[in-house]
Amino acid sequence: GLQIDQSDSDKPQLLFTLSDEIKCDEAYSLKVAEDQIQISASTPKGLYRGWTTLRLMIPVTAESGGCSKGFYLPVVSIDDSPEFEHRGLLLDCCRHFMEPDFVKKMIDNLSIHKMNVLHWHLTEDQGWRVEIDSYPRLTEVGAWRTETDGSTHGGYYSKETIQEIIEYAAARQVEVIPEIEVPGHSQAAIASYPWLGCTGEELPVANQWGVFKDIYCPGNDSTLRFLESVFDEVCELFPSTKIHIGGDEAPKVRWASCDKCQKRIKDEGLADENELQTWVIEHVGEYLESKGKTIIGWDEILEGGLPEGAAVQSWRGMAGAIEGVHLGTDVISSPTSHCYLDYPLSNTDLEEIYSFNPMPEEASHGPGRVIGGECNMWSERAPQH
Ligand code: ACM
Ligand code: ZN
């Protein structure tokens, strides 16, 4: 093996080489010989992945200075590339607020496991966590809830903090994709600005878990202008080309008895409330497309017809993944059966998670594509420690 010994530091032992021969941007070759370590890739991202593999080969104590006598590495030759381009973790910082340093720790964990996407869940019934200058009540009001015991829980990320976290992630080859929920999971926004909902009633930021009936009113033009302004600021803040727009768990009872929503359905020639959901998501999708972004939505976005250009994240099993691929779009697999890290261990154990295949046979022939998978860390039962 190669002995890493500080006294030998005049020899060039670790070489990073950019090479056109490696095609995939995340692929790398790592060669440990008796006198040298060489990492080659076609991009800095690939070099970083190779470096990460090297880090995984050294004793864990080495990085904290605990190997003063040096250590041995095995002689190896590794050619590696990812099978899937999207390897994500959803982090729900809404049900419980997570401090910026904790989010960074999660990014470190993603990076060392060569995962490359932080899907940052930033808006919910129980809390709005992203600062929006044009609608300050979203964080003045929407970021705070009164718990059933009378205590206050909350917090939000300033634009400066978000930028810092995006940069921290980028330095570790992790992309941050924000999720701004439309049209459901929006009670904290409605608590901040009651006119965003169908009834106009004042509501608190939710302090219980579940699915709530009060969702954005897409019959109201002002709601659409609100969403556009929010996405203006989100797009300015987040460099990712993809934006997650939610789309899950949006009960339609308020829309069914809302004059404005019913008028929208009629004026736009829509069949029902499900098509109204597709209509509002398409509206947001077109708006984002004009800013060079594409959208991802949970598999419910298939229900009123797949919104043009949207990628599907399949969570209620793999049916949404298969349907999305058959409809020709990009798909991310994160079924509750394997990918919900917030479920009890008795429900989803480590072996099950490791056995997860994001691409079932039925989704392997296109015309769409499974671009990868995500594990989802919802935080109803997971306050930050
Ligand atoms: C979800 O778990 N509601 C996507
Ligand atoms: Zn309405």
Side-chain angles (χ1 to χ4, degrees), residues 198 217-219 254-255 258 260-261:
C198 289
C217 173
R254 295 288 188 244
W255 293 3
C258 169
K260 288 185 204 142
C261 284

Side-chain angles (χ1 to χ4, degrees), residues 90 95 179 181 185 248-249 298 300 313 315 336 340 343 376 378:
L90 171 144
R95 269 56 176 265
E179 180 180 359
E181 282 264 19
H185 289 289
D248 60 322
E249 299 179 321
W298 298 107
E300 285 93 332
Q313 182 162 7
W315 71 281
T336 50
Y340 272 50
Y343 282 14
N376 294 347
W378 302 105

Side-chain angles (χ1 to χ4, degrees), residues 170-183:
R172 287 154 185 79
Q173 300 298 341
V174 172
E175 182 173 46
V176 181
I177 298 181
E179 180 180 359
I180 307 296
E181 282 264 19
V182 179

Side-chain angles (χ1 to χ4, degrees), residues 98-278:
M98 298 176 192
E99 295 297 335
D101 279 349
F102 181 84
V103 176
K104 288 181 183 172
K105 201 165 92 181
M106 289 299 116
I107 291 168
D108 289 338
N109 287 337
L110 287 177
S111 179
I112 196 76
H113 291 97
K114 303 199 187 84
M115 292 174 71
N116 63 356
V117 173
L118 174 68
H119 169 172
W120 202 4
H121 189 76
L122 287 169
T123 71
E124 258 306 337
D125 300 305
Q126 296 89 359
W128 182 284
R129 305 279 175 239
V130 47
E131 180 178 41
I132 300 294
D133 296 325
S134 53
Y135 289 95
R137 285 176 61 84
L138 289 170
T139 43
E140 288 165 8
V141 175
W144 309 95
R145 65 173 183 258
T146 306
E147 304 283 33
T148 48
D149 67 1
S151 64
T152 300
H153 178 88
Y156 67 91
Y157 305 102
S158 69
K159 291 194 165 177
E160 203 181 355
T161 299
I162 289 175
Q163 256 154 2
E164 195 183 302
I165 287 175
I166 292 169
E167 280 165 27
Y168 187 90
R172 287 154 185 79
Q173 300 298 341
V174 172
E175 182 173 46
V176 181
I177 298 181
E179 180 180 359
I180 307 296
E181 282 264 19
V182 179
H185 289 289
S186 43
Q187 191 171 314
I190 296 169
S192 310
Y193 298 100
W195 50 265
L196 289 169
C198 289
T199 67
E201 250 174 71
E202 285 197 18
L203 296 169
V205 176
N207 65 358
Q208 315 240 317
W209 312 133
V211 173
F212 296 85
K213 293 194 200 72
D214 288 283
I215 67 175
Y216 292 122
C217 173
N220 183 353
D221 288 338
S222 304
T223 307
L224 303 178
R225 301 294 89 76
F226 165 86
L227 291 172
E228 291 160 9
S229 299
V230 167
F231 282 111
D232 283 344
E233 295 191 32
V234 166
C235 289
E236 230 169 80
L237 204 47
F238 291 87
S240 65
T241 57
K242 292 174 181 151
I243 306 281
H244 205 301
I245 52 70
D248 60 322
E249 299 179 321
K252 308 298 189 296
V253 303
R254 295 288 188 244
W255 293 3
S257 56
C258 169
D259 291 344
K260 288 185 204 142
C261 284
Q262 292 307 310
K263 181 169 185 319
R264 182 77 75 195
I265 288 173
K266 193 153 157 265
D267 291 352
E268 298 294 332
L270 307 172
D272 57 16
E273 287 77 22
N274 282 338
E275 288 196 5
L276 181 56
Q277 161 139 347
T278 296

